[in-house]
Structure formats: structure tokens, C-alpha cells
Amino acid sequence: MIGNFVKHSAAFKRSSALILAIVLIAALLPATSVPAKTRAVSEESSKLLGKLSDALAEVADASRPAVVNISTTTTVTMEENPFGDMFNDPMFRHFFGDQLDHGQKRKYKSSALGSGVIVSENGYILTNNHVVKGADEIKVILYDKREFKGKIVGTDSRTDLAVVKIDAKDLPVLRFGDSNKLKTGDIVMAVGNPFGLNQTITMGIVSAVGRSNIGLSDFEDFIQTDAAINPGNSGGALINSNAELVGINTAIFSTSGGYMGIGFAIPSDMAKTVMDSIIKHGRVIRGWMGVSIQNLTPELAKSLGIKATEGALVSGVEKGSPADKAGLKRGDLVVGLSGKKVVDSTSLRNMVAASAPGTKLDVKILRDGKEQTLPITRGEFKEKKVIKKTEYNNVLRGITVQEITQSLRDKLNLPDNLTGVVITDVSSDSPAQGLLQQGDVIQEVNRKAIQNAQDYDHAVGKIGAKDAVLLLIYREGGSLYLTIKP
């Protein structure tokens, strides 16, 4: 019996050692080798996420029917060069010139896709100007797959907005939200047709408000968002958590052409103002002061002896303008407009443009270190006349000119007493190509003084098809005569 006990004791010791070894090995093995028990999500968290998911789906369902697909067709004229692209090299053109231009011009149909937002039950649609610009045909496809022919009511290149109308009734619409109430961090959704994928919705937050100096349009006050915006989203809706329209998606910042986390939308307040003016007047009516303005930099502030860090610096005043009549001068710093703070040149430009002509304002300025308030009555901003007379059958065909504005005068550093028209474009097939260039000011045509676009139009219209022309132009600080031959 004792012998059996000894035998069993030895066996027990061996078993205990084996169990201990197994336990030690198990402890040393990676945790993944041991089956883990699945952790359950708490009921509270599950309900919270479920409510969020339901809320987002509800907002998406409420907004999608009012966002449309806009398909455009544009006729493009291209020249076929029988010598190939090699002869487009500037070196070859330097030696052979127009002898290389013997290709045939052919017309092609170009198609593009964008988005739009239905803003009235009777068929008014907001979109981007660049979506419909130059379009020969516009096709609007609704959420329910119905197709309509779209007609441009009006466009505004300065804000990149356009209004399109379709012949339909009882359409779903998006209500306008108050974009001024948007704050950084607010949840927003972008609705549109990226890459032709209809009714795509992406979610993000407002990354910033009041973005300007982007270089996308003249009047910039963009909403920046990280909601994914891609090609085809242009003209689509940016909506808030109430399914209200707070922005028109207009552009992306990208080095690849696709989404990189930065998109821009035009605030709904600005879009509604532009839309209402287009529908009512057929064009956008803006306020105007008649000043050239720029941002105040630390270097400028130091040079001008200005202690302020914010405001719009007046760099020029147009003679006879409301600003001139009110007494504004070059070097004044505008810091307030009728009780509203002016942060920079963009904020002042937007404030003035958004108001109706004839409105009386109090302009708060800093001059020689002292604060003053000047009363001013806003005028109406009028586009300066631009003439492009490619139909001229003479040596000045293909020349685009514009009347001199104070902004152009400041930008090109033109003398205050210089008159004429500024060349803004010279087409590749113009006889003046290589002789005239952008920024030249045409002062005389065949010894006739040019004061404005009308003078230019009248003078050029008298030139025959085989006539040479003598021009007096201003270029790079001096005047010179040029003869252009047919």
C-alpha cells in the first residue's frame, strides 16, 4: 500500500509539473492565441449612435430630392495642325510665323456634368456660373429621373453663381438657411453628383468661415468644409443639420483633381441676394463707392504710421465717385461701415456690394492717426464695357479691350491722366499677335484719340480689310507708335 502511495505521489508530482508548464507556456504566448470574449456595446452607446444614424438619414432624405444633375453640351472650335504639335513650339514659330497656321478649324461637342439646387417650386435652380458658362444645351435630371431642358435666367461671374429655369411645377425645394450663423465645427453635408454619381451625400464639418483671397471669384466669403467635394459637385448643396441650404458647393483645393479634405461653398446669404437680383432685374445690382482698396500689412502700417492692425486701406479714389464726393482720400484706412467692423478689403467690398444703390452710410476711417466718420451715398456698380470684335474684317480682329477702371489703373500702374482702352486679350489668329499684348493701352487709332470703348469701336469699324493701322499705345511707362499691316 505504501508502495502504491509512493507510486501515485510520484505520478501526481509529474502531473502537477506538466500543468504548471502548460500554464507558464500559455502565459508566454501572444494574447491573440487565446480566444477572447467579444465585448458587448453598451445599450446607452448603441442607442446614441442609432439616433445619430437615424438623424443623418432623415436629413439626407429631406434634402436629396431638391438636388439635380446638370448636364451641359458646348460647341468647341479647334484647329487641326497638319504638322503636329512639334510646330506649336515657340522656337519654330519664331522662324516660320503664320506659315504654320494652315490647319482646318473643326467644331466638336464637349459635355460636362455638374449639380444644381431647386430653390422654388416653379423651377428656379441655383448652380455655379462655371457649370453652365458657354453651354449650348442644358439638361436637368431630377431626383425622380425626369429630364427637362434648362434655360439660363442670368449669371454672375463675380460670385460664380447662375440661375437656371426649367418648365415644371410643384417641385421639391431646399429652404434657405442662415449662413451667417454657421460656426466652425458645425456638422454639414454636401449633396451633388460627383463624377456623375447621382445623389451622393458626404458629411463633414465647417472647417472655417469667411475664407477670402482664394482667387476663385471677385467677391469671396467662402465656407470651408472637409465634407468630400469632388468634380461634379459644383453647384450642389451644402446643408446644415436642419436640412437647410447654407451654401452652394463651388470648388475644391486639390493637387490631384480629387478630394483632399478642403472644399469651398458660397454662403447661402450671398447666393440668395444674387439670385433674387437676377430673377427680378435680369442682372445683379450692386452698391459702389468708387475706391480701390487693399489689405493692411504690417509693413504698410509701419510705413504709413498706422497703429491699427485691421481695416481696408484706400489706395485710389475714382474722380466724381461717391467716395470722392464724401471726401475719402488715398491713404485713409476704413475701419467701420454703418456700425459694422471692417476687418479687411474683402469684408468692405462685400458689405458695399450687398447693399442697394442710394443707401446712405457712415464710413469710419483713420486719417493721420485720428478717427473720422464720413457720410456717403452709395452709387450703383456698373460693369465697364468690354468689346471683342473678332467679326472685324481688318488687322484688329481678335483684340479684346476694356475701359480703364480705377482698379486697372492701380494694378497696371497707369498715370491718372492716361486715357484709352486696355487690351485684355489678343487671340492667336489676330494679325496683331506678337505686336500687341495684354496690358497695352490703346491711346490713338489712326491719329484719332481714344477715350473709351465706344471711341475704339467707332474708329476700328472704319478700318478696311486691306488697310494698315497706326496705333499709339502706352506700355511699361511710355508711349510708342506701332503699325500693324494686313
Side-chain angles (χ1 to χ4, degrees):
M1 185 173 177
I2 294 175
N4 289 335
F5 175 78
V6 171
K7 287 180 181 180
H8 287 303
S9 296
F12 177 77
K13 288 180 180 179
R14 287 196 298 271
S15 298
S16 298
L18 181 61
I19 292 171
L20 180 61
I22 291 172
V23 171
L24 290 173
I25 292 172
L28 293 174
L29 286 174
T32 54
S33 64
V34 179
K37 189 175 181 180
T38 303
R39 290 188 60 185
V41 178
S42 69
E43 185 177 351
E44 182 181 355
S45 297
S46 181
K47 285 183 177 180
L48 179 62
L49 291 176
K51 287 182 178 180
L52 175 61
S53 179
D54 290 342
L56 294 175
E58 186 178 343
V59 172
D61 287 341
S63 60
R64 276 187 300 189
V67 179
V68 301
N69 179 307
I70 295 181
S71 174
T72 62
T73 303
T74 306
T75 302
V76 180
T77 302
M78 298 183 66
E79 185 173 300
E80 293 183 341
N81 192 326
F83 300 105
D85 292 337
M86 178 182 70
F87 288 92
N88 287 325
D89 188 282
M91 181 182 71
F92 284 95
R93 289 196 168 273
H94 175 72
F95 289 104
F96 297 101
D98 292 338
Q99 297 176 41
L100 297 177
D101 294 325
H102 297 299
Q104 292 183 339
K105 291 185 177 180
R106 295 182 180 274
K107 293 185 178 181
Y108 299 89
K109 293 289 186 181
S110 174
S111 298
L113 293 175
S115 305
V117 183
I118 303 174
V119 290
S120 74
E121 293 181 353
N122 59 341
Y124 283 105
I125 296 170
L126 255 179
T127 186
N128 285 141
N129 175 55
H130 74 260
V131 170
V132 296
K133 183 179 179 181
D136 299 319
E137 298 177 6
I138 299 174
K139 182 170 67 175
V140 177
I141 305 174
L142 304 188
Y143 177 71
D144 58 11
K145 307 302 180 183
R146 285 185 294 165
E147 296 185 5
F148 293 88
K149 183 178 180 180
K151 179 182 178 182
I152 297 177
V153 178
T155 62
D156 181 41
S157 60
R158 291 182 173 272
T159 54
D160 194 22
L161 287 168
V163 179
V164 173
K165 179 76 165 59
I166 60 174
D167 188 11
K169 296 180 180 179
D170 300 324
L171 296 172
V173 301
L174 269 183
R175 303 188 311 274
F176 279 94
D178 188 349
S179 56
N180 283 325
K181 292 183 179 180
L182 282 179
K183 302 183 298 296
T184 301
D186 283 350
I187 293 177
V188 288
M189 290 182 178
V191 190
N193 305 285
F195 303 108
L197 301 172
N198 294 345
Q199 304 299 321
T200 296
I201 294 184
T202 55
M203 188 187 76
I205 63 169
V206 174
S207 304
V209 294
R211 286 293 194 207
S212 59
N213 300 316
I214 308 296
L216 297 173
S217 59
D218 293 338
F219 295 97
E220 296 184 339
D221 188 23
F222 292 117
I223 302 164
Q224 181 184 327
T225 179
D226 66 346
I229 296 175
N230 284 290
N233 269 115
S234 291
L238 188 72
I239 59 173
N240 62 14
S241 56
N242 293 322
E244 296 172 329
L245 180 68
V246 292
I248 299 295
N249 301 324
T250 189
I252 59 174
F253 177 85
S254 175
T255 57
S256 63
Y259 170 69
M260 292 188 70
I262 297 179
F264 299 102
I266 301 167
S268 59
D269 290 351
M270 178 184 289
K272 189 176 187 305
T273 299
V274 170
M275 179 194 73
D276 289 343
S277 184
I278 287 176
I279 293 174
K280 185 177 180 179
H281 305 287
R283 60 189 178 90
V284 180
I285 297 178
R286 293 189 171 93
W288 171 69
M289 285 177 55
V291 291
S292 297
I293 51 178
Q294 63 186 91
N295 289 332
L296 182 68
T297 64
E299 293 78 12
L300 284 172
K302 184 177 180 181
S303 300
L304 297 172
I306 298 174
K307 294 183 180 180
T309 58
E310 295 180 334
L313 182 64
V314 177
S315 57
V317 180
E318 192 167 329
K319 190 174 182 180
S321 67
D324 184 35
K325 294 176 181 178
L328 263 71
K329 297 180 180 179
R330 181 177 288 149
D332 288 344
L333 183 70
V334 181
V335 295
L337 194 67
S338 292
K340 294 183 179 180
K341 184 178 181 181
V342 174
V343 178
D344 53 21
S345 60
T346 299
S347 64
L348 177 60
R349 185 180 295 111
N350 291 340
M351 285 181 194
V352 173
S355 61
T359 307
K360 294 184 178 180
L361 301 169
D362 290 326
V363 182
K364 185 184 290 187
I365 64 169
L366 289 178
R367 180 186 293 171
D368 299 326
K370 297 180 180 179
E371 190 174 279
Q372 298 183 36
T373 299
L374 302 176
I376 185 173
T377 300
R378 263 176 287 201
E380 180 182 345
F381 176 81
K382 294 183 179 179
E383 297 282 355
K384 291 296 182 179
K385 191 174 182 181
V386 178
I387 295 180
K388 185 170 184 179
K389 289 294 184 180
T390 52
E391 65 268 26
Y392 281 142
N393 186 25
N394 58 43
V395 294
L396 291 183
R397 65 178 180 272
I399 304 296
T400 307
V401 302
Q402 178 179 331
E403 293 181 354
I404 299 176
T405 63
Q406 187 62 49
S407 177
L408 276 175
R409 197 180 293 278
D410 294 337
K411 182 179 180 180
L412 300 175
N413 195 27
L414 304 178
D416 291 337
N417 60 348
L418 181 68
T419 60
V421 291
V422 180
I423 296 176
T424 58
D425 185 56
V426 181
S427 65
S428 60
D429 60 349
S430 173
Q433 176 64 244
L435 295 173
L436 297 177
Q437 61 190 36
Q438 288 184 355
D440 287 348
V441 178
I442 299 178
Q443 298 174 272
E444 293 181 1
V445 176
N446 286 335
R447 298 297 182 93
K448 298 292 183 181
I450 304 300
Q451 299 289 333
N452 49 43
Q454 185 176 356
D455 289 346
Y456 175 82
D457 188 20
H458 186 261
V460 177
K462 292 183 176 181
I463 302 171
K466 298 183 179 180
D467 294 342
V469 64
L470 176 65
L471 300 179
L472 176 65
I473 69 168
Y474 180 89
R475 178 188 294 171
E476 298 178 353
S479 297
L480 69 152
Y481 283 106
L482 285 178
T483 300
I484 302 177
K485 298 178 181 181

